[in-house]
Amino acid sequence: MTEQIGVTGLATMGANLARNFARHGYQVVLHNRTKARTDQLVAAHGDEGDFVPTTTIQEFVGALRRPRRILIMVQAGPATDAVIDEVAPLLDPDDVLMDGGNARYTDTIRRTKALALARLHFVGMGVSGGEEGALNGPSIMPGGSDEAYAIVGPMLESIAAVYDGTPCCTHVGTDGAGHFVKMVHNGIEYADMQLIAEAYDLLRHRLGLSPAELSDVFAGWNEGDLDSYLIEITAEVLRHTTTNGTPFVDVVLDEAEQKGTGRWTVQSALDLGVPVSGIAEAVFARALSGHAEQRIPAQKVLRGPAVERDAAEDRDAYGEAVRQALYASKVVAYAQGFDQIAAGAVEHGWDIDRAALATIWRAGCIIRARFLDRIRQAFTDDPDLPTLLVHDYFRDAVTAAQDGWRRVAADAARYGIPAPGFASALAYYDGLRAERLPAALIQALRDRFGSHTYRRVDREGAFHTLWSEDRSEVSAG
């Protein structure tokens, strides 16, 4: 008999995933809170496969054979809980509920535990690629039990994007692992877009290039090491004009919105003690862009240096410096993201294969890029690699980019062009490679005002200086 999948929640992402399943030969049982969406999908795309429209949740569940496979595609948060609460009592042991929204991974852990009491499987499934990916092949990051993946994994792999013959879908780990990894993926996406925007801003202000000319620059970069989906669509957006010929980018309000996954990534990193400065700066840059009530008054009174245009003969050299800064900073952002994934895996007991993640991110997802194959190879060579930056390829690539990277970061500060992504990435790199950090002074100060103790470089143990007495040193255990 034809395998079945049930999809409830038929907005754009849910509808496109339902169509994707149908195109791959599955019978897709449809449900939506408002029947009009179901009718609209069947009317417009009913010839793409075997769709079974239903009206009530009882009819929806009743149309599925056991073990039931149900994909929930509704707004993350309370709406997802409401659907689970409505569906779960109608299910039987070993049925599988999947959440394909951008859920907070801690909610997925909670839901997994609760549904396990009823012997139901729950799969928190990260999906990347937007509406186009959902229809034609996304990158899929499912988390859940081995038993659950055995039931739904082959179906998910069949609809995923494919790169070099490999489906862009892997079993990430138990309970919230899939949504955790998707969260960090989105955090990397934030950093990537911020760095691209900074490169655009620097080239436009320092070289005076038009959006159309910048489109050519980014298109050229997309032929080399920076080859990626985001660079590709940057060139596309910069070339686009309005009906009167105005560059499209010039009519878009300069306030970048966010839905929350970037903030969650930074909050999680703080809890884990992992420095993801590139992602954090990208989140804060979006937040700053949205504070018009502060920016408008500041624009009237805060003064900065005049921006000088580089001589025409130096344009190629400056453009290359910006390219180097962009590439090196992207490497740092990805390195920080993979560090956070490793820390999260340790904290929650997930067995996450970082090489497998790089593999499934090579196609279908928003951060797909040529150098993900380099990342896959790096973690294949050494699964316990402490950071991507010490792998031979990335060490050499970032070293080769240093001159341009430093020039661009200094140039941005000199001319008052905000480039927090480039600056923070460079500061992280320099902090990582420094033989000795000023953290020694910070810890000494902590001992001075709060008796927080310190460790020494020349002997084992913790110590405290009796600052308010004779300033002698005592062992603190």
Side-chain angles (χ1 to χ4, degrees):
M1 300 176 69
T2 302
E3 288 194 76
Q4 292 179 309
I5 179 78
V7 180
T8 180
L10 300 176
T12 302
M13 286 293 290
N16 281 5
L17 283 170
R19 292 171 60 194
N20 192 347
F21 278 114
R23 290 176 175 186
H24 283 82
Y26 298 104
Q27 184 180 74
V28 185
V29 181
L30 303 172
H31 173 265
N32 194 74
R33 183 174 57 85
T34 56
K35 185 174 178 292
R37 281 193 187 273
T38 307
D39 295 339
Q40 181 181 11
L41 173 58
V42 174
H45 306 289
D47 59 348
E48 293 183 348
D50 186 2
F51 293 109
V52 179
T54 64
T55 302
T56 67
I57 204 71
Q58 292 79 9
E59 182 186 0
F60 173 66
V61 173
L64 291 163
R65 295 184 297 271
R66 297 180 58 192
R68 300 178 181 91
R69 304 166 177 89
I70 296 175
L71 175 59
I72 300 169
M73 292 299 299
V74 300
Q75 188 174 10
T80 300
D81 282 324
V83 172
I84 292 171
D85 290 343
E86 187 176 14
V87 173
L90 306 176
L91 302 181
D92 295 300
D94 295 326
D95 287 348
V96 183
L97 277 173
M98 296 177 280
D99 174 15
N102 272 331
R104 198 161 193 167
Y105 75 94
T106 49
D107 286 341
T108 303
I109 293 173
R110 168 180 59 81
R111 291 162 181 156
T112 301
K113 290 179 180 178
L115 290 168
L117 297 176
R119 294 173 57 196
L120 298 174
H121 297 295
F122 189 66
V123 173
M125 187 176 88
V127 180
S128 179
E131 58 188 75
E132 180 181 342
L135 180 61
N136 298 316
S139 177
I140 307 178
M141 296 150 263
S145 66
D146 290 339
E147 294 80 6
Y149 194 77
I151 296 170
V152 300
M155 302 178 74
L156 300 180
E157 291 175 13
S158 72
I159 69 160
V162 176
Y163 187 94
D164 279 352
T166 301
C168 293
C169 174
T170 190
H171 183 202
V172 177
T174 55
D175 51 58
H179 276 141
F180 179 84
V181 163
K182 177 56 165 54
M183 175 191 74
V184 177
H185 164 285
N186 284 20
I188 295 172
E189 179 185 308
Y190 273 55
D192 209 341
M193 285 193 285
Q194 175 65 26
L195 294 169
I196 289 171
E198 291 178 16
Y200 151 81
D201 205 31
L202 280 157
L203 290 173
R204 192 161 191 191
H205 282 92
R206 292 285 285 118
L207 300 184
L209 299 180
S210 69
E213 291 171 319
L214 286 166
S215 174
D216 292 338
V217 171
F218 279 94
W221 287 353
N222 201 49
E223 299 299 319
D225 288 339
L226 282 171
D227 175 15
S228 68
Y229 173 68
L230 284 172
I231 295 289
E232 175 189 340
I233 65 171
T234 297
E236 178 185 345
V237 169
L238 289 174
R239 185 160 296 281
H240 183 55
T241 60
T242 63
T243 54
N244 66 0
T246 303
F248 171 69
V249 70
D250 288 345
V251 302
V252 176
L253 185 66
D254 61 336
E255 295 181 11
E257 300 176 358
Q258 51 187 313
K259 290 188 175 180
T261 47
R263 289 195 300 270
W264 295 348
T265 304
V266 177
Q267 289 164 355
S268 166
L270 289 171
D271 291 338
L272 293 168
V274 179
V276 293
S277 52
I279 297 170
E281 289 293 354
V283 172
F284 293 141
R286 290 198 193 188
L288 175 63
S289 77
H291 282 282
E293 79 286 355
Q294 293 177 322
R295 292 176 57 208
I296 292 173
Q299 289 162 15
K300 297 176 182 177
V301 298
L302 299 184
R303 295 292 176 259
V307 178
E308 295 180 7
R309 294 276 170 85
D310 252 25
E313 59 269 20
D314 194 38
R315 284 191 172 192
D316 289 345
Y318 192 76
E320 173 59 16
V322 174
R323 188 200 67 80
Q324 290 175 339
L326 178 55
Y327 187 75
S329 299
K330 280 166 66 79
V331 171
V332 168
Y334 280 70
Q336 292 178 346
F338 276 97
D339 290 346
Q340 182 172 354
I341 289 169
V346 171
E347 175 73 15
H348 296 284
W350 298 322
D351 184 17
I352 297 180
D353 183 345
R354 289 180 290 178
L357 294 183
T359 298
I360 68 168
W361 287 350
R362 293 180 302 173
C365 74
I366 302 301
I367 65 170
R368 59 186 183 266
R370 177 188 296 186
F371 82 161
L372 276 162
D373 214 32
R374 300 279 192 181
I375 295 176
R376 177 197 61 79
Q377 190 60 54
F379 287 122
T380 298
D381 294 342
D382 182 1
D384 299 318
L385 193 68
T387 172
L388 277 175
L389 290 165
V390 301
H391 184 268
D392 291 352
Y393 171 78
F394 291 107
R395 176 202 64 202
D396 294 345
V398 172
T399 298
Q402 268 197 77
D403 288 347
W405 194 9
R406 294 186 187 282
R407 176 185 176 184
V408 166
D411 205 54
R414 179 183 180 187
Y415 292 112
I417 301 170
F422 286 157
S424 68
L426 183 57
Y428 175 84
Y429 174 81
D430 284 336
L432 201 61
R433 68 174 188 82
E435 186 173 342
R436 186 163 171 81
L437 291 169
L441 177 58
I442 294 171
Q443 192 60 25
L445 291 170
R446 294 183 76 244
D447 188 64
R448 173 63 181 82
F449 69 69
S451 301
H452 291 295
T453 77
Y454 52 88
R455 289 176 290 120
R456 297 178 58 107
V457 298
D458 53 357
R459 59 180 184 267
E460 295 295 319
F463 302 90
H464 169 57
T465 293
L466 301 173
W467 297 100
S468 60
E469 299 177 26
D470 61 359
R471 301 201 172 189
S472 60
E473 183 178 79
V474 297
S475 174

